[in-house]
Amino acid sequence: MYPRPGAGHVPVLRLGDILLVTLQGDLYDSTAQQLQQDLSETIVSAGVTGVVIDISGVEIVDSFLGRVLAEIAAQASLLAARTVVAGMRPAVAITLVELGLTLPGLRTALDTQAAMALLEQPVVLSHAGGTRRERA
Amino acid sequence: MPHGSGASLEWSSGRVTAPFHGPVRYRYGNDDEETQVPEHEAGGPLGTPTLEVRDFLRRRREQIAQRWADEPLFRAVFTLSRDEAVEAGKAVVDALAQVADARRAEDSDAAGFTGVREQLARMSTSRSRAGLSLAQVSNELAALWPPVDNLLAAELAERPVEELRACTTTLSTLMGTLRVVAVQTALSEGQALIDRQRLQLLEVATPVIRLWDGIVAVPLIGTLDSARSQVVMETLLNAVVDQHARFAILDITGVPTVDSLVAQHLMKTVAAARLMGAECVVSGIRPAIAQTMVHLGLDLGSVLTRASLADALGYCLHELGVAVSSPAAGGAGHR
C-alpha cells in the first residue's frame, strides 16, 4: 500500500495563521517537490506566519527527508514564516543524528499541539543560549 | 585410609607380553571385586601407549581417586566428605580413560571431557573464590600428576624403558590436556560472568527519572562507551515520548572522564532530543573536566549546560513557567 511515485499529494491544511502538513510513509522526489511548491504558494497567498510539519507517521527516514525538511524551513523563513517539525519518533531522531543531520536551523516540538503553542509565542531571538536563571 | 601399594597387586604378569586374546581378569589391592577389562576391538596393537594408559587408568581408577582425594585441590574443594572427593576423582579418571580410548590425548575438545567440565568448573570456581589466581589453580591441578605417574611407574617397572617412557609421556600429555580443559572452563565461566554483568550494568545504569511534569533526567554514572551511550540515548528518547517531556537533563556528575568520544556521544543525544522537540540540558560538569574539555578543544557550544542538576532543574522549571517560592534566599526550600 505504498503511494505510487508521482501520485502522492500531501494535503496542506490551513488553521488560522498556521499551515499544517502531515507526512506519512515514504516521501518521493515528486511529492516533495510538489509539497514545497504548494507550501510556498500558500504561505504567500494566505499570509500565514507558521508552518507545522507533523512527521509522527514517518517510521523510516533517510538523508533525503532530512534535506527536504531543512529546505522547507529555509524557504518558509525567507517568506517570514516559522517552521516547526513535530512528533519525530526516537528511532528517526537517532537515525538522523547518526547520519550527521542535526538540522540546526529547525524548530522542533513533541507534537502538533506543542508546535502550535510554540508558534503562538512571540519570536525569541536567542533560542539556544537561554538566560541563566539568577538566584534571588 | 591405606592405599593399595604395588606389593598387594595381583595383576597378571602374562599381560606383559603383547597381544592377548579374550577378556582378562585383574584383581587388585583395596578393591575386592574383579574388574573386567574387555579386549580392545580396535584392532591396533595393544602396546600402543595411549591404550596402555587407558587400561592403566581403568584398572587403577579407585587407587588414583583415593590418592587425589588427599591432594590439596580435592581436599580444599570437598571439605565435607572424603567420599565425595573420591567420587569426583573417579569421574575425572573415567573421563581421562575415555579420552585415551578415543586416542585424543592432546585434544581439549575431546568428547570425554564433556562430562567432567561441570566438575572442573565447580572446583576451579571454588578455588578462585578462596582467593587463588588461575595460575595457582593450574599448579594445584599439576600436583595431580605425580601420584598417577608414581603408580604408572610402579606398575610398568618391569617393562622396557622406551615403553615406560612412551606411557609416561602419554599420561603427561593427558594430564596437561586436563589442565587446559580446567583452565578453559574457568576462563569461560569468568567470561560468562562478565557478559552477564555487562548486560546488568547496561540495564541498571541508565534510569530515567521524572523530575517534574515534562522534565526527565538521566544521571549518568561510570564510563560512557558507545554501547552505553546508545542505550542512554534510546531510553532517554523513549522517556521523552512516554512522559511527554519538554526538557531532558543529562547529569554527568558521575562520569569520571570526558574525552572527545564522550563529548560526541553527548552532542548526539542532545541533537536527537532536540529533533524530537525536547530541550536537552547537560549538567554536572566538574571544574576539572570543564578545564580538560577546553584544553582538548571540545566544542559544546550548541549544548545548553548548567553547573549542577539543581541549576538545570531550576532552568527547566523557569522555562516551563513554574515558580518555586523559597522562604530562604538561595535555597531550593520546600514546595
Side-chain angles (χ1 to χ4, degrees):
Chain A
M1 282 279 289
Y2 292 107
R4 274 172 288 117
H9 186 84
V10 183
V12 178
L13 311 175
R14 186 180 165 192
L15 301 167
D17 277 348
I18 292 166
L19 292 183
L20 175 62
V21 179
T22 306
L23 294 185
Q24 263 167 349
D26 289 347
L27 190 66
Y28 293 97
D29 290 28
S30 52
T31 326
Q33 220 158 25
Q34 183 70 43
L35 173 64
Q36 288 182 7
Q37 203 178 324
D38 288 354
L39 263 179
S40 51
E41 278 169 13
T42 319
I43 289 172
V44 172
S45 63
V48 297
T49 56
V51 177
V52 175
I53 305 174
D54 181 23
I55 59 165
S56 58
V58 176
E59 307 235 11
I60 299 165
V61 73
D62 51 11
S63 54
F64 175 68
L65 179 68
R67 203 192 52 164
V68 167
L69 292 178
E71 278 179 9
I72 290 176
Q75 75 184 45
S77 75
L78 280 177
L79 301 170
R82 286 178 290 166
T83 308
V84 182
V85 171
M88 190 181 291
R89 289 164 176 267
V92 172
I94 292 174
T95 312
L96 278 181
V97 170
E98 294 294 338
L99 286 171
L101 292 167
T102 51
L103 307 177
L106 209 61
R107 286 177 199 79
T108 49
L110 284 172
D111 50 23
T112 43
Q113 196 183 341
M116 300 284 198
L118 184 65
L119 287 176
E120 278 164 18
Q121 287 172 10
V123 181
V124 185
L125 286 177
S126 66
H127 171 73
T131 50
R132 188 182 173 123
R133 191 185 66 110
E134 297 297 331
R135 282 173 173 165
Chain B
M1 198 162 180
H3 301 297
S5 59
S8 63
L9 281 170
E10 294 183 337
W11 78 292
S12 156
S13 59
R15 176 82 180 62
V16 176
T17 51
F20 64 94
H21 307 279
V24 178
R25 285 162 184 258
Y26 297 108
R27 292 198 62 201
Y28 52 89
N30 48 8
D31 194 356
D32 272 344
E33 67 171 1
E34 289 181 338
T35 315
Q36 281 202 352
V37 178
E39 187 189 9
H40 187 68
E41 309 91 352
L46 208 94
T48 312
T50 318
L51 299 183
E52 195 84 25
V53 167
R54 176 203 63 182
D55 292 341
F56 158 75
L57 286 171
R58 287 192 178 154
R59 279 199 307 274
R60 301 302 197 96
R61 175 171 177 260
E62 179 74 28
Q63 275 174 298
I64 296 172
Q66 290 287 354
R67 292 201 179 185
W68 279 357
D70 290 329
E71 289 294 328
L73 178 64
F74 279 84
R75 273 220 311 266
V77 175
F78 303 96
T79 42
L80 290 179
S81 139
R82 192 189 146 84
D83 291 343
E84 208 185 340
V86 174
E87 280 308 309
K90 280 185 193 168
V92 176
V93 176
D94 285 346
L96 287 176
Q98 200 185 332
V99 173
D101 189 36
R103 302 187 193 213
R104 297 171 71 183
E106 315 80 16
D107 185 3
S108 58
D109 293 328
F113 284 123
T114 324
V116 284
R117 263 180 206 277
E118 199 180 325
Q119 188 86 53
L120 292 170
R122 198 182 137 200
M123 283 160 68
S124 51
T125 316
S126 134
R127 292 312 277 150
S128 337
R129 241 180 243 147
L132 270 77
S133 72
L134 205 53
Q136 281 168 308
V137 176
S138 170
N139 285 342
E140 286 195 348
L141 275 163
L144 295 182
W145 183 51
V148 191
D149 191 43
N150 291 342
L151 273 175
L152 184 77
E155 193 167 317
L156 302 181
E158 304 148 29
R159 310 283 283 273
V161 181
E162 302 83 54
E163 215 171 307
L164 178 61
R165 187 179 298 154
C167 287
T168 316
T169 313
T170 311
L171 184 66
S172 145
T173 313
L174 209 52
M175 295 301 291
T177 316
L178 179 71
R179 250 169 103 184
V180 170
V181 170
V183 172
Q184 264 179 358
T185 316
L187 281 178
S188 64
E189 285 275 303
Q191 192 58 44
L193 181 71
I194 291 173
D195 288 345
R196 223 165 35 239
Q197 286 181 342
R198 185 182 294 151
L199 273 183
Q200 284 172 354
L201 204 64
L202 279 183
E203 289 165 10
V204 168
T206 53
V208 179
I209 305 162
R210 178 172 161 272
L211 289 182
W212 206 271
D213 275 340
I215 305 176
V216 291
V218 188
L220 291 174
I221 292 168
T223 316
L224 270 184
D225 55 13
S226 41
R228 253 196 87 192
S229 61
Q230 191 72 26
V231 175
V232 169
M233 196 195 273
E234 278 168 24
T235 47
L236 179 68
L237 296 189
N238 283 325
V240 164
V241 173
D242 293 343
Q243 318 224 3
H244 215 80
R246 263 188 63 196
F247 290 93
I249 303 174
L250 276 172
D251 185 71
I252 60 167
T253 313
V255 178
T257 52
V258 173
D259 53 15
S260 52
L261 205 65
V262 174
Q264 200 190 350
H265 289 318
L266 286 178
M267 306 267 272
K268 274 187 186 172
T269 310
V270 171
R274 200 191 64 82
L275 279 176
M276 290 183 51
E279 196 173 349
C280 215
V281 185
V282 176
S283 72
I285 303 178
R286 274 172 283 150
I289 289 181
Q291 222 171 326
T292 321
M293 287 168 81
V294 172
H295 278 303
L296 284 172
L298 303 175
D299 184 22
L300 286 185
S302 58
V303 179
L304 191 58
T305 52
R306 286 293 180 267
S308 66
L309 185 61
D311 273 341
L313 178 62
Y315 166 79
C316 297
L317 288 176
H318 176 76
E319 290 289 301
L320 281 175
V322 179
V324 181
S325 65
S326 59
H334 300 282
R335 60 179 168 101

